């Protein structure tokens, strides 16, 4: 096959998708009205797939901090911290993240994706072992590739399987990094973290927890699953992103391990990219303060999460195993998922469409995420749109794949 010949299949798939009248993976956002409303492709819509869990993207404190930072420090850093130095904001944010987790230190990366690349490839090398949950995010898989370490997977959220595999490694368990997520991004289920910590410690391995979707969402102070499961001090590396509950862009890792400071010198995704812009750092610092004191936001978020999960479950949609701000309807065919996604958009609701292999188990998902910024009425609107579409979606499932309809109904 020629270099560019391999794009033929992608071109065919995209042409077929566009022929259905929708471009779910290239929606033009015309104007944003608030964290929960926008005009998209000419239509006013309710946003319900943003990961903006606390709704802080328009918080006055964050906007003000970002404006002030632009005026003071300019629009960008124009280089890596290794070459160009660290602004006061970078250093302050790292201190504040370390304090937030009551950890020795923290490192800020330019994106959450790079935080995983940087930490995984910084910590491990050929000869080491990476033991990852099978349903890990793409950034974890990509970090594994970059590291060159041997990659082993354990069954999703199965601490007994993890323990078995670590035990089998014998002495190599001591050069193994175990990686799990707090809340999993696609189905909203959480890791059995206490059991995972126990297995990892007993076998002498290190543990990294990616709290991308649980920061701000779980725990009294929003520190994530490590706080909720009361294992914060027993996790070696706590990683997360600024792009969800903190409403900006960037990533971090916090740790009590003194080696964390040395990762800066061993991590190509830290060294060879420009550091986050001053305005990004400033709004993130303001958002972190709101997040930490955001108990009321978390109460509202969870009210919406339970309502949405219960509502869709009662309608007969097949969902992930537990209520969470991530609520995804699991469909058995792309066509069924597309019918549901398009129907929602026509009713003024914009959510995420996920095709295999991005979703676990070769499924297609219509994935929603609720926000503390939603009103109770908006959550009702969302559930109402799913209710109107249940029968047409079941019909599309029957047309395309007779196995779909029973699985939707039986949940
Ligand atoms: N880890 C997980 C579990 C994620 O879901 C994501 C993004 N969805 C990332 C890391 C990457 O974060 P970012 O998009 O902020 O780069």
């Amino acid at each position: 096959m020629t270099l560019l010949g391999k794009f033929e299949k992608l071109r065919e798939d995209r042409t077929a998708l566009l022929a259905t009248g929708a471009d779910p993976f290239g929606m033009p956002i015309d104007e944003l009205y608030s964290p929960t409303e926008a005009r998209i492709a000419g239509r006013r819509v309710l946003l319900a797939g943003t990961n903006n869990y606390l709704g802080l993207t328009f918080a006055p404190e964050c906007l003000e901090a970002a404006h002030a930072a632009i005026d003071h420090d300019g629009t960008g850093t124009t280089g890596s911290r290794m070459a160009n130095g660290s602004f006061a904001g970078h250093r302050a944010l790292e201190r504040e993240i370390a304090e937030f987790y009551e950890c020795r230190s923290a490192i800020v990366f330019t994106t959450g994706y790079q935080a995983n690349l940087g930490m995984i490839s910084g910590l491990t090398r050929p000869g080491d072992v990476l033991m990852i949950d099978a349903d890990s995010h793409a950034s974890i898989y990509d970090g594994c590739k970059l590291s060159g370490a041997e990659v082993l997977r354990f069954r999703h959220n199965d601490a007994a399987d993890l323990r078995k595999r670590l035990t089998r490694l014998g002495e190599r368990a001591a050069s193994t990094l175990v990686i799990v997520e707090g809340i999993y991004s696609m189905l909203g289920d959480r890791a059995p973290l206490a059991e995972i910590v126990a297995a990892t410690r007993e076998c002498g391995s290190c543990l990294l927890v990616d709290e991308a979707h649980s920061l701000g969402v779980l725990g009294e102070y929003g520190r994530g699953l490590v706080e909720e499961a009361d294992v914060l001090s027993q996790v070696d590396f706590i990683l997360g992103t600024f792009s969800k509950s903190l409403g900006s862009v960037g990533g971090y890792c916090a740790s009590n391990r003194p080696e964390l400071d040395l990762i800066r010198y061993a991590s190509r995704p830290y060294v060879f990219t420009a550091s986050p812009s001053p305005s990004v750092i400033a709004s993130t610092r303001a958002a972190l303060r709101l997040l930490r004191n955001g108990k009321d936001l978390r109460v509202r978020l969870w009210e919406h999460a339970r309502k949405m999960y219960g509502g869709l479950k009662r309608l007969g949609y097949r969902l992930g195993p537990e209520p969470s701000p991530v609520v995804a309807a699991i469909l058995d065919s792309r066509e069924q998922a597309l019918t549901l996604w398009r129907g929602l958009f026509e009713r003024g609701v914009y959510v995420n469409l996920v095709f295999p292999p991005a979703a676990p188990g070769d499924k297609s998902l219509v994935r929603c995420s609720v926000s503390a910024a939603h009103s109770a009425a908006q959550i009702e609107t969302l559930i109402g749109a799913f209710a109107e579409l249940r029968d047409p979606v079941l019909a599309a499932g029957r047309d395309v794949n007779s196995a779909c309809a029973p699985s939707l109904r039986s949940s």
Side-chain angles (χ1 to χ4, degrees):
M1 184 178 292
T2 63
L3 184 70
L4 300 180
K6 57 181 161 308
F7 287 97
E8 232 10 82
K9 171 80 176 71
L10 187 56
R11 194 193 319 276
E12 278 166 23
D13 287 352
R14 270 205 59 72
T15 307
L17 187 63
L18 295 181
T20 69
D23 184 9
F25 305 116
M27 297 299 283
I29 298 186
D30 306 325
E31 194 179 348
L32 223 54
Y33 301 120
S34 75
T36 62
E37 283 185 302
R39 185 161 47 82
I40 296 184
R43 188 189 294 266
R44 190 175 181 112
V45 293
L46 168 58
L47 301 172
T50 56
N51 305 317
N52 193 356
Y53 298 119
L54 301 183
L56 296 183
T57 44
F58 285 85
E61 296 89 335
C62 299
L63 298 180
E64 209 175 291
H67 288 144
I70 287 193
D71 291 342
H72 195 263
D73 290 334
T75 54
T77 64
T78 65
S80 152
R81 287 169 66 182
M82 209 52 90
N84 291 23
S86 293
F87 285 41
H90 296 132
R91 290 178 277 127
L93 178 56
E94 286 177 345
R95 271 196 310 279
E96 286 157 8
I97 292 171
E99 277 164 27
F100 177 61
Y101 285 111
E102 293 163 14
C103 276
R104 189 179 175 280
S105 60
I107 301 188
V108 163
F109 293 88
T110 305
T111 67
Y113 177 84
Q114 284 166 334
N116 267 324
L117 254 57
M119 285 306 301
I120 298 170
S121 67
L123 284 167
T124 58
R125 59 175 67 164
D128 296 330
V129 179
L130 284 156
M131 181 71 77
I132 67 172
D133 185 288
D135 286 359
S136 289
H137 186 258
S139 57
I140 295 174
Y141 275 99
D142 292 356
C144 291
K145 270 193 204 156
L146 190 62
S147 89
E150 183 180 353
V151 182
L152 301 173
R153 297 185 304 170
F154 63 94
R155 270 203 299 277
H156 175 56
N157 273 353
D158 188 338
D161 190 44
L162 168 65
R163 183 186 294 272
K164 190 177 77 192
R165 287 168 195 272
L166 287 177
T167 308
R168 237 189 252 154
L169 282 173
E171 283 182 3
R172 290 188 78 203
S175 57
T176 296
L177 177 66
V178 176
I179 305 179
V180 299
E181 295 173 32
I183 289 180
Y184 280 82
S185 59
M186 287 295 129
L187 296 181
D189 48 339
R190 11 184 143 170
L193 197 53
E195 288 97 315
I196 285 170
V197 165
T200 306
R201 287 173 80 82
E202 274 166 41
C203 297
S205 304
C206 277
L207 177 62
L208 183 151
V209 180
D210 179 347
E211 299 269 17
H213 291 270
S214 25
L215 170 71
V217 169
L218 296 177
E220 190 181 356
Y221 296 100
R223 288 182 284 208
L225 189 59
V226 289
E227 184 182 8
E228 189 190 68
D230 198 16
V231 294
L232 199 154
S233 61
Q234 299 169 62
V235 169
D236 301 280
F237 301 100
I238 303 167
L239 183 144
T241 170
F242 304 155
S243 70
K244 304 180 197 308
S245 282
L246 291 170
S248 65
V249 64
Y252 64 90
C253 182
S255 178
N256 277 321
R257 299 284 190 174
E259 291 78 9
L260 184 70
D261 296 331
L262 297 170
I263 293 274
R264 292 182 205 276
Y265 308 95
S267 172
R268 297 172 68 86
Y270 177 84
V271 174
F272 293 107
T273 197
S275 60
S277 299
S279 57
V280 164
I281 294 289
S283 82
T284 304
R285 292 179 65 197
L288 186 59
R289 287 191 284 278
L290 296 173
L291 180 153
R292 180 183 208 139
N293 300 320
K295 283 181 201 162
D296 296 351
L297 294 176
R298 275 183 282 288
V299 168
R300 204 169 328 135
L301 174 68
W302 277 97
E303 274 170 18
H304 294 340
R306 279 188 276 271
K307 187 159 208 168
M308 181 75 184
Y309 184 88
L312 263 51
K313 191 106 195 151
R314 271 191 295 282
L315 285 169
Y317 284 97
R318 186 151 49 110
L319 307 176
E322 58 183 316
S324 144
V326 175
V327 184
I330 305 169
L331 293 314
D332 282 325
S333 72
R334 289 174 186 234
E335 290 77 2
Q336 205 183 14
L338 188 59
T339 303
L340 177 56
W341 179 87
R342 196 190 298 122
L344 288 169
F345 190 73
E346 284 162 5
R347 284 162 181 75
V349 172
Y350 180 49
V351 297
N352 314 128
L353 177 65
V354 185
F355 281 165
D362 243 17
K363 300 292 181 202
S364 293
L365 304 179
V366 170
R367 176 191 180 273
C368 310
S369 53
V370 297
S371 167
H374 281 127
S375 65
Q378 284 176 321
I379 300 295
E380 292 294 349
T381 302
L382 261 170
I383 297 171
F386 271 92
E388 283 178 28
L389 286 158
R390 183 183 58 176
D391 294 340
V393 166
L394 285 174
R398 270 194 299 273
D399 288 348
V400 172
N401 173 356
S402 57
C404 302
S407 63
L408 246 182
R409 277 203 220 95
S410 65
S411 51

